[in-house]
Amino acid sequence: MSVTLLVGTIKGAFVIRSNSDRTAWELEDLIFKGWKVTAATRAVDGTFFIGTASDIYGPAIQRSTDLKQWEQVKRGPQFDESLGRKLNQIWFISTKGDTYYAGADEAGLFQSRDGGNTWKAVNGLNDHDTRPGWRPGAGGLCAHAFLRDPSNPDRMWCGISAVGVFRTDDGGATWSPKNSGVQVIIPDENNSEIGYCVHALTHDPENPDVIWQQNHRGMYRTTDGGDHWESIQNGLPSTFGFPLERDPHTGSLFCFPQESDEFRVPVDGKCRVYRSHDNGDSWHPLGTGLPKKGFYGSVLRGAMAVDELASCGVYFGTTSGTMHMSKDCGDTWITFDEVFPRILCVSAFISSEID
Amino acid sequence: MVTSGQRYFKVKGDTIAEAFHNLFESFPQLRIHILDESDSIRQHILVYADDSDIRWTEGLSTPITDCQELTVIQAVSGG
């Protein structure tokens, strides 16, 4: 089974495809050359969606049925001009249910009920009572993480950097901060429920209240939908990192620890993914085939993906432009021959479902 | 892409704002790439009416005539 990776960079998205056993990869295409490609996903009906951005022309959502011919959606996420907010980047596009969601910088959540053609703001979150206290982190003020309960479309979670995790139980009408047990990063003088720097979220779709969080201050887990979080650092060499992925078949978790928020490079210059086989109770380094020393590229929050095949493929790209692939749940790795611009996001698609 | 590759357009309007408005009627997805949330020209886009940079005239309110040529270019500068 071959896999297609869409590697979004600051200068376009590189489409690379594996052979049938995922041992060799070839560059197939470069799309949106010169534009940032910041997010990618595929809907149940097979339509691909990507977020593009340009320092000159601004952000947009594009869609395609074949990764070749693209069209900009009719009306993408936009803030009402009276709010004085600025849309800088699409951080995620979630197409798993009937209603699609997209997260953006400046922090905003948007929804589409017509297959991604038109989008409107989710004001229950965007105009939250705590918004006056929202402050941007180093990566901006961005709504970048999103989970939904597959069995209850009214229950969703959204993560906003330097603000925290919010949950809705009424389809997005109201949202509550869910950060109890997480170490605060920037205390707000008026509201102790915000100031928590979530970097990534993942969960078990079959037990969606079990959620893992890579935070600015460490790795956390909740078993009650975010009401309480616990630290799960056992085996990790640092508390800082961005991506967090989960293989739905084995439940294995993958992260990429980095040396502190000040340096943001792999610890000791070793390019290593850490994996947990026990729901985050313990973490172990994976480095077979990865650069063993002198590696100082970091991995951004969207730049790791799993492919959901039975023998899980794990993929990550770095700010140095290198792409690394594993076909065996992270046990061994290969590095792609070509070096890309700074990698912003990586998404994996089963090729047979594209052709 | 939002104009299907078309690069030259004939549009009407008494001001540059009206000309853009009429252009966006035909190509609505183009709007967000030219104007920001406050309906201002994006920071790194330059618009010329013939040889005049509209930043130095009346901006989007600059009057235009039927036979004027408007040019939209990206300001790629610095380093």
Side-chain angles (χ1 to χ4, degrees):
Chain A
M1 189 80 74
S2 72
V3 168
T4 295
L5 299 179
L6 192 145
V7 182
T9 80
I10 60 167
K11 293 295 179 185
F14 295 83
V15 180
I16 58 179
R17 183 183 287 227
S18 77
N19 59 358
S20 60
D21 61 2
R22 293 176 290 169
T23 56
W25 295 78
E26 282 193 4
L27 177 62
E28 197 169 79
D29 204 358
L30 165 58
I31 58 176
F32 290 94
K33 185 178 180 181
W35 288 62
K36 295 176 191 172
V37 175
T38 58
T41 193
R42 180 174 47 184
V44 174
D45 69 1
T47 304
F48 295 93
F49 291 86
I50 64 171
T52 57
S54 156
D55 292 338
I56 297 167
Y57 300 115
I61 291 179
Q62 319 277 347
R63 63 183 170 191
S64 169
T65 56
D66 58 6
L67 290 175
K68 295 180 175 64
Q69 300 296 317
W70 293 86
E71 64 167 356
Q72 185 176 311
V73 300
K74 184 177 178 184
R75 188 183 191 282
Q78 284 180 270
F79 288 115
D80 188 293
E81 66 178 83
S82 65
L83 297 171
R85 297 173 192 157
K86 184 174 170 57
L87 196 82
N88 300 305
Q89 177 178 322
I90 303 299
W91 270 98
F92 69 82
I93 306 165
S94 172
T95 56
K96 289 183 178 173
D98 292 337
T99 302
Y100 296 175
Y101 289 89
D105 178 317
E106 168 175 350
L109 182 65
F110 298 84
Q111 67 175 201
S112 171
R113 296 185 185 277
D114 60 3
N117 202 34
T118 61
W119 298 76
K120 68 174 186 177
V122 179
N123 292 326
L125 181 60
N126 298 354
D127 298 337
H128 197 268
D129 290 345
T130 60
R131 180 145 195 148
W134 297 5
R135 301 280 180 270
L141 181 59
C142 48
H144 59 71
F146 186 76
L147 299 173
R148 57 171 83 192
D149 183 339
S151 60
N152 177 6
D154 287 341
R155 190 168 168 93
M156 297 172 278
W157 296 261
C158 187
I160 302 173
S161 274
V163 179
V165 175
F166 292 80
R167 190 182 79 205
T168 179
D169 292 295
D170 56 13
T174 61
W175 297 75
S176 302
K178 294 292 176 185
N179 303 290
S180 176
V182 178
Q183 190 178 348
V184 70
I185 183 76
I186 306 172
D188 183 75
E189 63 176 341
N190 299 316
N191 195 326
S192 62
E193 291 194 292
I194 58 171
Y196 301 88
C197 197
V198 52
H199 283 184
L201 298 173
T202 189
H203 71 167
D204 176 359
E206 295 182 4
N207 191 2
D209 276 0
V210 179
I211 303 171
W212 294 266
Q213 175 184 169
Q214 172 69 70
N215 185 281
H216 196 110
R217 294 296 200 194
M219 192 69 74
Y220 291 90
R221 176 178 59 201
T222 177
T223 57
D224 55 15
D227 289 336
H228 305 89
W229 295 88
E230 61 176 329
S231 173
I232 48 168
Q233 278 291 133
N234 182 23
L236 291 173
S238 71
T239 55
F240 195 84
F242 285 108
L244 179 60
E245 289 291 328
R246 181 178 182 275
D247 169 24
H249 298 292
T250 63
S252 299
L253 296 158
F254 304 92
C255 68
F256 193 92
Q258 297 174 38
E259 181 185 342
S260 77
D261 53 358
E262 182 179 7
F263 295 109
R264 305 186 180 212
V265 297
V267 178
D268 298 329
K270 296 174 182 174
C271 182
R272 293 194 297 196
V273 171
Y274 277 66
R275 180 177 64 194
S276 173
H277 278 320
D278 52 13
N279 293 319
D281 287 339
S282 63
W283 298 84
H284 305 276
L286 306 170
T288 303
L290 292 174
K292 293 190 178 343
K293 63 178 183 178
F295 191 88
Y296 298 102
S298 66
V299 182
L300 302 179
R301 77 178 99 254
M304 181 181 280
V306 295
D307 64 16
E308 300 191 359
L309 289 175
S311 176
C312 175
V314 189
Y315 313 98
F316 68 94
T318 71
T319 55
S320 299
T322 58
M323 265 304 302
H324 308 274
M325 303 90 150
S326 170
K327 64 168 187 167
D328 51 16
C329 204
D331 288 339
T332 62
W333 297 84
I334 58 174
T335 297
F336 191 59
D337 290 340
E338 301 181 38
V339 178
F340 301 131
R342 179 183 175 90
I343 293 172
L344 305 176
C345 66
V346 174
S347 295
F349 306 110
I350 309 303
S351 299
S352 60
E353 297 172 9
I354 301 172
D355 298 329
Chain B
M1 218 164 284
V2 293
T3 63
S4 302
Q6 187 176 344
R7 299 175 63 189
Y8 300 94
F9 314 90
K10 285 186 177 178
V11 291
K12 290 185 176 298
D14 292 331
T15 64
I16 291 172
E18 284 184 18
F20 273 130
H21 175 80
N22 290 331
L23 177 63
F24 299 150
E25 287 285 308
S26 301
F27 304 100
Q29 288 115 316
L30 182 60
R31 186 181 186 283
I32 62 164
H33 300 301
I34 304 292
L35 303 180
D36 65 18
E37 288 83 351
S38 63
D39 273 344
S40 302
I41 299 284
R42 284 189 173 277
Q43 185 179 9
H44 298 293
I45 286 181
L46 299 178
V47 178
Y48 284 81
D50 292 332
D51 294 329
S52 300
D53 186 331
I54 68 166
R55 292 179 300 167
W56 318 129
T57 57
E58 296 176 54
L60 287 168
S61 301
T62 303
I64 51 174
T65 59
D66 278 352
C67 53
Q68 278 193 282
E69 182 173 285
L70 301 181
T71 307
V72 179
I73 63 173
Q74 60 181 22
V76 180
S77 60

